[in-house]
Amino acid sequence: MNSEQLRHFKHLLQQHREEQADILGDMIEGTPEGYRDTEDSELSRYDNHPADVATELFDAQQRAALRSNHEFVIREIDDALEKVKKGTYGVCELCGKGIDPQRLEVIPDARNCIQCEISEEHESDLDKIAKHSHRPV
């Protein structure tokens, strides 16, 4: 990968990281001080219908999952930026070949080339099938 491409992808990664950090910041700022995701907005649960409590619990879990996903994406971008510094950006972690620049345009923090990613997904699918095909005797 030439230096012009490397600068381009570094800029792309920095933009992507900034967007993710902004979204995460908005999610955190939108949560009232001292409010935990496991708490609901009611002072008492006695007057709530069980479905209302379940809805609030679902919403809290959904917010936590979304926040966790954004944190994961930021870590992946940070790893990719570290690879840029080390000079290993754009190299597949599994086979060591270069990752297609078109793939990096779409997924700038990609760790693997498309062939290795397909093979990893295929293995994962086979593992799921093997685990679910067990029949109790």
Side-chain angles (χ1 to χ4, degrees), residues 120-135:
E120 284 285 307
E121 287 179 9
H122 182 68
E123 284 182 32
S124 175
D125 290 345
L126 290 176
D127 286 345
K128 288 178 188 174
I129 291 169
K131 288 178 184 175
H132 287 24
S133 64
H134 174 71
R135 287 183 29 200

Side-chain angles (χ1 to χ4, degrees), residues 7-21:
R7 275 196 307 274
H8 168 71
F9 287 119
K10 182 178 179 180
H11 178 71
L12 196 61
L13 285 163
Q14 289 169 334
Q15 278 185 318
H16 193 48
R17 188 189 192 292
E18 192 175 305
E19 290 169 3
Q20 293 296 317

Side-chain angles (χ1 to χ4, degrees), residues 31-71:
T31 305
E33 187 69 30
Y35 183 83
R36 296 181 309 158
D37 284 335
T38 57
E39 295 176 354
D40 57 27
S41 59
E42 294 292 324
L43 296 175
S44 170
R45 291 185 183 201
Y46 292 115
D47 63 340
N48 282 354
H49 188 277
D52 293 336
V53 175
T55 299
E56 288 196 22
L57 179 61
F58 173 81
D59 290 343
Q61 289 175 332
Q62 186 178 35
R63 281 191 306 274
L66 289 171
R67 185 169 45 247
S68 176
N69 182 59
H70 286 290
E71 290 167 349

Side-chain angles (χ1 to χ4, degrees), residues 26-125:
D26 289 346
M27 290 175 80
I28 292 170
E29 286 176 12
T31 305
E33 187 69 30
Y35 183 83
R36 296 181 309 158
D37 284 335
T38 57
E39 295 176 354
D40 57 27
S41 59
E42 294 292 324
L43 296 175
S44 170
R45 291 185 183 201
Y46 292 115
D47 63 340
N48 282 354
H49 188 277
D52 293 336
V53 175
T55 299
E56 288 196 22
L57 179 61
F58 173 81
D59 290 343
Q61 289 175 332
Q62 186 178 35
R63 281 191 306 274
L66 289 171
R67 185 169 45 247
S68 176
N69 182 59
H70 286 290
E71 290 167 349
F72 174 78
V73 170
I74 289 172
R75 284 192 305 273
E76 290 292 305
I77 294 168
D78 288 342
D79 288 349
L81 287 168
E82 188 63 31
K83 287 180 183 184
V84 170
K85 287 180 187 175
K86 291 180 179 177
T88 58
Y89 178 76
V91 177
C92 178
E93 292 181 356
L94 297 176
C95 70
K97 295 178 183 175
I99 300 174
D100 186 354
Q102 290 178 333
R103 176 169 168 75
L104 293 173
E105 281 290 335
V106 178
I107 308 170
D109 57 320
R111 292 180 174 271
N112 304 320
C113 66
I114 192 69
Q115 293 82 12
C116 289
E117 195 64 36
I118 289 171
S119 128
E120 284 285 307
E121 287 179 9
H122 182 68
E123 284 182 32
S124 175
D125 290 345

